[in-house]
Amino acid sequence: MPEESIDHIDFKDLNRKAISQPLVSHMYTADPSAHVFNNKIYIYPSHDIDAGEAFDDLGSHFAMEDYHVLSMDTIDSTAEDHGVALHVDDVPWAKCQMWAPDANEKDGMYYLYFPAKDYDDIFRIGVATSKSPVGPFIAQPKPIKGSFSIDPAVFKDDDGNYYMYFGGIWGGQLQRWRTGKFNPDQPESPTAFLPEDNEPALLPFVAKLTDDLLEFSEKPKPIEILDENGNLLLAGDNDRRFFEAAWLHKYNEKYYFSYSTGDTHFICYAVGDNPYGPFTYGGCILNPVVGWTSHHSICEVEGKWYLFYHDSSLSNGVTHLRSVKVAEITYREDGSIETLDPYRL
Ligand code: FUB
């Protein structure tokens, strides 16, 4: 639900009709990346604050400074907040904007992946480690070599390889990397440097990680998202093309790449046969929520599949003050996913 249409919303009524309630309400949280480690659910969200930054289309008002990890014993239990897991002041290379993180585990070590702007105002992706899934995490002194843009999501395949999916347009700066180098020209609008509507849309990226999970083991490769005719989705196909919030999960041996369409506010998915794609557009998983952004993860818990997502209903529609939620998703026999309506309107 885009910001311009919230004036007429009765939030009390809307919250009654919501398919789920915030997992925590003592702070604002967003961009939930959920995993099950040792039979417990861990959620790695952004920690939304109001830092007083002016709103703009490049997302300067998303001025987050730290991460907290949430955990749940079961999908119905109360979420526990484990306090500050990593603060921007403890990341030597990061200046500001601790945006959507993810985490993964290998051999008893936990790895928190996060985007932040460096001191040149360029988004990079960093990693921090801990022996505990809830931190505190110790950041590597530098960002991952060759990393850029935002929204890392790290998927562990059944063969033990780990892949990072990432990218985001507008404030996420993906469009400034079109030549392979960062375009230092100051953008006059969030859509500067984007392809024309009739050109292929900008693509997210994937890179396999090194065995120690601290670096890319290869140059990031673009991920093709195709339409039903095998053509790349176009930049003007705003209801289906990639914007941000990459996620990868595997269901019945198929790879599901899901993402947000940003300015049209859908969470969509595309299906492929291997971690690199190509992925063919499959449909919409979540219709627009209250608030401009939509961002999710998909996680299997005790044989059922769940969408972790956020909306801004707790803050009565303040777009950068969001709350994480969870709802079950349903696969049809053919592997397609039913679309969830976040409110029973
Ligand atoms: O939370 C800041 C940004 O908003 C995320 O990185 C995007 O995916 C969007 O949710």
Side-chain angles (χ1 to χ4, degrees), residues 35-55:
H35 294 271
V36 174
F37 298 132
N38 303 321
N39 297 319
K40 202 167 162 138
I41 305 161
Y42 292 94
I43 304 164
Y44 299 86
S46 299
H47 175 201
D48 282 356
I49 53 168
D50 190 357
E53 297 290 334
F55 280 55

Short mmCIF file of all heavy atoms in Angstrom, two decimals, residues 35-55:
data_model
loop_
_atom_site.label_atom_id
_atom_site.label_comp_id
_atom_site.label_asym_id
_atom_site.label_seq_id
_atom_site.Cartn_x
_atom_site.Cartn_y
_atom_site.Cartn_z
N HIS A 35 15.82 -18.23 9.69
CA HIS A 35 16.49 -19.52 9.52
C HIS A 35 16.17 -20.38 10.73
O HIS A 35 15.92 -19.86 11.82
CB HIS A 35 18.02 -19.35 9.48
CG HIS A 35 18.50 -18.58 8.28
ND1 HIS A 35 18.81 -19.19 7.09
CD2 HIS A 35 18.70 -17.26 8.10
CE1 HIS A 35 19.20 -18.27 6.22
NE2 HIS A 35 19.14 -17.08 6.80
N VAL A 36 16.23 -21.71 10.54
CA VAL A 36 16.18 -22.62 11.68
C VAL A 36 17.59 -23.13 11.91
O VAL A 36 18.19 -23.71 11.00
CB VAL A 36 15.21 -23.78 11.41
CG1 VAL A 36 15.27 -24.80 12.55
CG2 VAL A 36 13.78 -23.26 11.25
N PHE A 37 18.14 -22.86 13.08
CA PHE A 37 19.44 -23.40 13.49
C PHE A 37 19.21 -24.20 14.76
O PHE A 37 18.59 -23.68 15.72
CB PHE A 37 20.45 -22.27 13.80
CG PHE A 37 20.76 -21.36 12.63
CD1 PHE A 37 20.75 -19.97 12.78
CD2 PHE A 37 21.10 -21.88 11.37
CE1 PHE A 37 21.05 -19.13 11.72
CE2 PHE A 37 21.42 -21.04 10.30
CZ PHE A 37 21.39 -19.66 10.47
N ASN A 38 19.66 -25.43 14.80
CA ASN A 38 19.51 -26.28 16.00
C ASN A 38 18.06 -26.27 16.52
O ASN A 38 17.82 -26.02 17.71
CB ASN A 38 20.45 -25.83 17.13
CG ASN A 38 21.88 -25.85 16.66
OD1 ASN A 38 22.27 -26.76 15.93
ND2 ASN A 38 22.65 -24.83 17.03
N ASN A 39 17.12 -26.48 15.61
CA ASN A 39 15.69 -26.60 15.96
C ASN A 39 15.06 -25.35 16.54
O ASN A 39 14.00 -25.41 17.15
CB ASN A 39 15.45 -27.75 16.96
CG ASN A 39 15.83 -29.07 16.36
OD1 ASN A 39 15.54 -29.31 15.18
ND2 ASN A 39 16.51 -29.90 17.13
N LYS A 40 15.70 -24.21 16.41
CA LYS A 40 15.14 -22.96 16.92
C LYS A 40 15.06 -21.97 15.75
O LYS A 40 15.93 -22.01 14.86
CB LYS A 40 16.07 -22.44 18.02
CG LYS A 40 15.41 -21.50 18.97
CD LYS A 40 16.28 -21.28 20.20
CE LYS A 40 15.78 -20.03 20.87
NZ LYS A 40 15.71 -20.11 22.28
N ILE A 41 14.06 -21.11 15.78
CA ILE A 41 13.90 -20.14 14.69
C ILE A 41 14.66 -18.87 15.07
O ILE A 41 14.44 -18.32 16.16
CB ILE A 41 12.40 -19.80 14.48
CG1 ILE A 41 11.58 -21.07 14.25
CG2 ILE A 41 12.22 -18.82 13.32
CD1 ILE A 41 10.10 -20.89 14.50
N TYR A 42 15.51 -18.41 14.17
CA TYR A 42 16.24 -17.15 14.38
C TYR A 42 15.85 -16.18 13.27
O TYR A 42 15.80 -16.56 12.09
CB TYR A 42 17.75 -17.38 14.38
CG TYR A 42 18.19 -18.17 15.58
CD1 TYR A 42 18.32 -19.55 15.50
CD2 TYR A 42 18.43 -17.55 16.80
CE1 TYR A 42 18.69 -20.29 16.61
CE2 TYR A 42 18.81 -18.28 17.92
CZ TYR A 42 18.93 -19.65 17.82
OH TYR A 42 19.29 -20.38 18.93
N ILE A 43 15.58 -14.96 13.66
CA ILE A 43 15.18 -13.94 12.67
C ILE A 43 16.20 -12.80 12.74
O ILE A 43 16.49 -12.27 13.82
CB ILE A 43 13.77 -13.40 12.98
CG1 ILE A 43 12.78 -14.58 13.03
CG2 ILE A 43 13.32 -12.40 11.92
CD1 ILE A 43 11.49 -14.23 13.70
N TYR A 44 16.73 -12.48 11.59
CA TYR A 44 17.74 -11.41 11.46
C TYR A 44 17.06 -10.24 10.74
O TYR A 44 16.98 -10.24 9.51
CB TYR A 44 18.97 -11.93 10.71
CG TYR A 44 19.61 -13.06 11.47
CD1 TYR A 44 19.16 -14.38 11.31
CD2 TYR A 44 20.61 -12.83 12.40
CE1 TYR A 44 19.70 -15.42 12.05
CE2 TYR A 44 21.16 -13.86 13.16
CZ TYR A 44 20.70 -15.15 12.97
OH TYR A 44 21.22 -16.19 13.72
N PRO A 45 16.54 -9.26 11.48
CA PRO A 45 15.83 -8.14 10.85
C PRO A 45 16.69 -6.87 10.84
O PRO A 45 17.70 -6.77 11.55
CB PRO A 45 14.63 -7.94 11.78
CG PRO A 45 15.16 -8.32 13.14
CD PRO A 45 16.32 -9.28 12.93
N SER A 46 16.24 -5.89 10.07
CA SER A 46 16.74 -4.52 10.26
C SER A 46 16.10 -3.99 11.55
O SER A 46 15.01 -4.42 11.94
CB SER A 46 16.31 -3.62 9.10
OG SER A 46 16.84 -4.08 7.89
N HIS A 47 16.76 -3.04 12.19
CA HIS A 47 16.20 -2.40 13.40
C HIS A 47 15.87 -0.96 13.04
O HIS A 47 16.76 -0.10 12.99
CB HIS A 47 17.23 -2.48 14.53
CG HIS A 47 16.79 -1.75 15.76
ND1 HIS A 47 17.66 -1.32 16.73
CD2 HIS A 47 15.56 -1.35 16.18
CE1 HIS A 47 17.00 -0.70 17.68
NE2 HIS A 47 15.72 -0.70 17.36
N ASP A 48 14.58 -0.72 12.77
CA ASP A 48 14.14 0.60 12.32
C ASP A 48 14.14 1.61 13.46
O ASP A 48 13.69 1.31 14.58
CB ASP A 48 12.72 0.52 11.75
CG ASP A 48 12.71 -0.05 10.35
OD1 ASP A 48 13.79 -0.31 9.78
OD2 ASP A 48 11.59 -0.24 9.81
N ILE A 49 14.62 2.81 13.16
CA ILE A 49 14.56 3.92 14.12
C ILE A 49 14.15 5.18 13.37
O ILE A 49 14.26 5.23 12.14
CB ILE A 49 15.93 4.17 14.81
CG1 ILE A 49 17.04 4.35 13.75
CG2 ILE A 49 16.26 3.08 15.79
CD1 ILE A 49 18.33 4.88 14.30
N ASP A 50 13.72 6.17 14.13
CA ASP A 50 13.49 7.47 13.50
C ASP A 50 14.68 8.34 13.85
O ASP A 50 14.77 8.88 14.95
CB ASP A 50 12.18 8.08 13.99
CG ASP A 50 11.83 9.31 13.16
OD1 ASP A 50 12.65 9.66 12.27
OD2 ASP A 50 10.77 9.89 13.39
N ALA A 51 15.62 8.46 12.93
CA ALA A 51 16.84 9.22 13.20
C ALA A 51 16.68 10.68 12.80
O ALA A 51 17.64 11.45 12.86
CB ALA A 51 18.01 8.60 12.44
N GLY A 52 15.48 11.05 12.38
CA GLY A 52 15.21 12.44 12.04
C GLY A 52 15.66 12.84 10.64
O GLY A 52 15.64 14.02 10.29
N GLU A 53 16.06 11.87 9.82
CA GLU A 53 16.49 12.19 8.45
C GLU A 53 15.27 12.52 7.59
O GLU A 53 14.22 11.88 7.73
CB GLU A 53 17.23 10.99 7.82
CG GLU A 53 18.51 10.60 8.51
CD GLU A 53 19.62 11.62 8.31
OE1 GLU A 53 19.58 12.33 7.30
OE2 GLU A 53 20.51 11.71 9.19
N ALA A 54 15.44 13.47 6.67
CA ALA A 54 14.33 13.83 5.79
C ALA A 54 14.01 12.67 4.85
O ALA A 54 14.92 11.94 4.45
CB ALA A 54 14.71 15.07 4.99
N PHE A 55 12.73 12.54 4.50
CA PHE A 55 12.31 11.51 3.54
C PHE A 55 12.85 11.86 2.17
O PHE A 55 12.81 13.02 1.76
CB PHE A 55 10.78 11.49 3.43
CG PHE A 55 10.10 10.76 4.54
CD1 PHE A 55 10.34 11.09 5.86
CD2 PHE A 55 9.22 9.74 4.26
CE1 PHE A 55 9.70 10.42 6.89
CE2 PHE A 55 8.58 9.07 5.28
CZ PHE A 55 8.81 9.40 6.59
#
